Amino acid sequence: MKKKLNFLCITMLTLIVIEFARLCWEMKGFVKFFQHNMESIFADGSIDWVLFWVTIIAAALTLLILYLTLIRGLISFVKFMLNVNRDKIFVKDNVSLLRKTGKGIFLYNVFTLISILTGYFISVQFNQPQSLQLSWAYRSVIYPIILAFFCWVIAEVFAIGIKLKEEQELTV
């Protein structure tokens, strides 16, 4: 059973790392877009500076929160894996770690949607209209949401397992 649970944990950890790599790749694309269009943005002088800085600060804060929520979920999941390898499987700490992992991944998705919309508004503000591809946004968010709900379901299974274990220990 421990091998199967370790395999599941490694698979899930791999998915989280792949999502983090995808996020870094998209950030690289945003930076390239911004660098490429920097000259044309500032050349015509018709930019609203207040809106520009508010947008840039909002984008930076969104990305910072995006990274922090994903890292929080990753750290919680690694702690869960370590507990499993120490034969601490049905303990209350694992339930809270799995809930934190699910919460981190879910918040990551919320801020991913915010960053997609922020990127769209930045491109519109800089007169570089790009179509907001809802199918792309859907695909980039739906799989991590499924992963977050999977974490929450597994956390509830562990909570029920802990309750059953406690009831069994009380039975003579």
Side-chain angles (χ1 to χ4, degrees):
M1 178 176 146
K2 191 174 174 181
K3 285 184 180 181
K4 290 179 183 178
L5 192 55
N6 276 334
F7 177 73
L8 177 67
C9 290
I10 290 171
T11 303
M12 196 158 159
L13 186 64
T14 304
L15 290 173
I16 292 172
V17 168
I18 288 171
E19 188 64 25
F20 188 76
R22 185 189 67 79
L23 177 64
C24 292
W25 184 262
E26 286 180 14
M27 182 62 190
K28 179 183 170 187
F30 174 74
V31 170
K32 275 187 171 182
F33 166 79
F34 192 72
Q35 287 175 342
H36 177 68
N37 294 313
M38 186 68 87
E39 291 178 12
S40 64
I41 290 168
F42 295 110
D44 60 2
S46 65
I47 190 167
D48 180 7
W49 287 101
V50 174
L51 184 60
F52 169 76
W53 284 111
V54 167
T55 307
I56 294 300
I57 290 170
L61 286 176
T62 302
L63 288 172
L64 177 67
I65 293 171
L66 195 68
Y67 282 115
L68 290 177
T69 56
L70 190 60
I71 289 171
R72 177 184 178 213
L74 183 64
I75 289 171
S76 296
F77 195 73
V78 168
K79 286 180 180 178
F80 167 74
M81 285 177 52
L82 292 174
N83 280 348
V84 168
N85 285 325
R86 292 182 196 132
D87 290 329
K88 296 179 183 176
I89 298 175
F90 289 105
V91 293
K92 291 182 180 179
D93 190 37
N94 283 347
V95 174
S96 67
L97 287 172
L98 284 171
R99 286 179 180 156
K100 285 179 185 177
T101 301
K103 189 177 186 180
I105 294 170
F106 185 78
L107 288 174
Y108 163 78
N109 289 311
V110 169
F111 286 104
T112 299
L113 282 175
I114 291 171
S115 69
I116 289 169
L117 293 174
T118 304
Y120 175 74
F121 290 129
I122 288 173
S123 66
V124 167
Q125 180 186 357
F126 296 148
N127 297 323
Q128 302 290 331
Q130 294 180 347
S131 63
L132 180 61
Q133 299 174 356
L134 292 178
S135 63
W136 176 83
Y138 172 77
R139 282 193 314 267
S140 67
V141 174
I142 192 66
Y143 299 120
I145 284 178
I146 291 170
L147 190 62
F149 282 113
F150 182 71
C151 282
W152 285 331
V153 167
I154 296 298
E156 294 310 310
V157 168
F158 271 66
I160 292 169
I162 291 169
K163 188 176 180 182
L164 290 173
K165 181 181 171 186
E166 289 173 355
E167 288 177 3
Q168 181 188 14
E169 289 173 355
L170 293 175
T171 305
V172 178

